[in-house]
Amino acid sequence: MSPWNGVDHARGKCERSAAAGRYLAGMVDARERFVASGPLRIWTGQAGDPGLPAVLMIMGQAAQSVMCPDALVERLLQRGVQVIRFDHRDTGRSSVVDFEVHPYTIGDMARDCLAVLDGYGLASAHVAGASLGGVIAQWLAVHAPDRVRSLTVMSSTPMGHDPSRARARAQAGQPADPDDLPPPAPAFLAHLAAGLPPGVESDVALFRVFNGPVRPFDEAAARAQLESALSRAVDPAAAANHERAAYRDDPSLLAPLTSITAPTSIVHGDGDPVLPLAHGEAVAAAIPGAVLHIVPGMGHVMTSPGLPEEIAGLIRL
């Protein structure tokens, strides 16, 4: 998501607090809690009976907990679990990091997830991650297998794969490398090239591209998510650090996915404009016993009516 410039800091802080209250009231009986991950404070929201098995939802690059739709959570609760959402470091109400002083990696973001489980006293959870969150989920299944009851990787790419190479070739007008996974769709590259000014309107336009042209785009729902994210962010610009973290050298990302033992489902739309279906197929091929669910017409986000409930039904429990 794009950074937004704030106005008066003190007034903005009050407005964010009020908006956060409205956000919590709108969540599915959400109970908020901050947990410690080293020196950082990670904001979390828990829904459902805390005595039930937990699903940890991990959102993508620069994405707050609010990008996990309530409709998805409601459907998961009906399946007999509790659901925990959280704000990654540098997003939402979680701690902001000075990346120049304390650079971090995807592995560090994954350790925040373990801190969330520790904060709730959970020995393990069903883990579901979307996009970059799917890479983080793979990391957990490889490096902390005892904490992962099941694994669901949504709209993602294999851990250790660098999708920026294919995107750079496409942006330069070069043909795709036949030995690499495919680049993003032209519509997504065109949006990037347009250089729209940062703000909610630009992000709504981006989410329209993310949604893809097949399924209807619920603009009102996308706008509500994006406005909520803006209103509750401690520092909206800090989310840009995720891209720096995603491409920072991290040897732990090179561990083989063949070591994953958790029951695994891969959920990927056949209309994903950011990470085309071949990325999801590659994840499924690399993980022993993984089941691939191809969602017709789905893009890179859950902003089409009925889609959050559909995806919730595919999350591995």
Side-chain angles (χ1 to χ4, degrees):
M1 288 162 46
S2 303
W4 294 277
N5 292 323
V7 284
D8 178 81
H9 178 73
R11 185 185 70 190
K13 184 175 181 180
C14 293
E15 290 172 348
R16 283 194 296 271
S17 297
R22 292 194 298 272
Y23 160 73
L24 288 170
M27 288 181 70
V28 187
D29 295 325
R31 293 169 287 278
E32 70 171 323
R33 178 188 303 177
F34 284 93
V35 302
S37 181
L40 305 182
R41 281 164 43 93
I42 305 296
W43 183 93
T44 71
Q46 183 270 347
D49 183 345
L52 293 173
V55 176
L56 180 68
M57 296 298 304
I58 309 175
M59 294 297 98
Q61 179 177 313
Q64 299 180 28
S65 56
V66 294
M67 295 303 164
C68 178
D70 277 351
L72 181 147
V73 175
E74 289 172 347
R75 178 70 183 93
L76 284 174
L77 296 181
Q78 292 168 6
R79 295 184 63 191
V81 295
Q82 60 168 310
V83 179
I84 298 173
R85 292 178 277 189
F86 69 98
D87 293 337
H88 291 292
R89 60 173 70 191
D90 277 331
T91 72
R93 300 180 64 197
S94 290
S95 292
V96 173
V97 179
D98 185 336
F99 198 88
E100 297 296 334
V101 177
H102 299 290
Y104 57 86
T105 65
I106 290 176
D108 294 318
M109 296 177 71
R111 293 179 187 93
D112 291 341
C113 297
L114 295 176
V116 172
L117 296 183
D118 291 343
Y120 280 86
L122 293 169
S124 63
H126 301 286
V127 174
S131 195
L132 179 62
V135 176
I136 293 171
Q138 293 169 61
W139 190 101
L140 292 170
V142 168
H143 295 287
D146 57 319
R147 311 300 298 271
V148 180
R149 297 170 68 116
S150 71
L151 172 67
T152 303
V153 178
M154 304 179 289
S155 307
S156 193
T157 195
M159 183 179 75
H161 174 256
D162 181 359
S164 68
R165 295 191 297 265
R167 185 175 74 180
R169 288 179 67 89
Q171 288 173 320
Q174 299 173 352
D177 181 348
D179 295 325
D180 196 1
L181 291 171
F188 176 63
L189 297 177
H191 178 87
L192 295 180
L196 298 179
V200 170
E201 295 306 320
S202 173
D203 285 321
V204 169
L206 175 60
F207 270 50
R208 184 182 298 278
V209 174
F210 279 166
N211 185 82
V214 178
R215 296 201 180 207
F217 174 55
D218 190 341
E219 180 174 333
R223 186 179 298 276
Q225 284 182 318
L226 293 163
E227 289 178 345
S228 177
L230 171 61
S231 70
R232 63 191 297 279
V234 174
D235 180 2
N241 287 336
H242 284 189
E243 184 166 11
R244 302 169 73 183
Y247 298 118
R248 185 175 172 80
D249 286 341
D250 185 349
S252 69
L253 297 177
L254 302 179
L257 297 180
T258 52
S259 68
I260 292 178
T261 57
T264 300
S265 289
I266 312 302
V267 179
H268 213 104
D270 63 8
D272 193 323
V274 181
L275 297 170
L277 177 59
H279 290 254
E281 292 173 333
V283 180
I287 299 176
V291 177
L292 173 63
H293 298 282
I294 300 174
V295 184
M298 177 183 170
H300 197 65
V301 289
M302 294 177 278
T303 49
S304 187
L307 185 56
E309 296 92 335
E310 182 177 348
I311 299 306
L314 298 176
I315 290 175
R316 193 74 171 257
L317 299 181

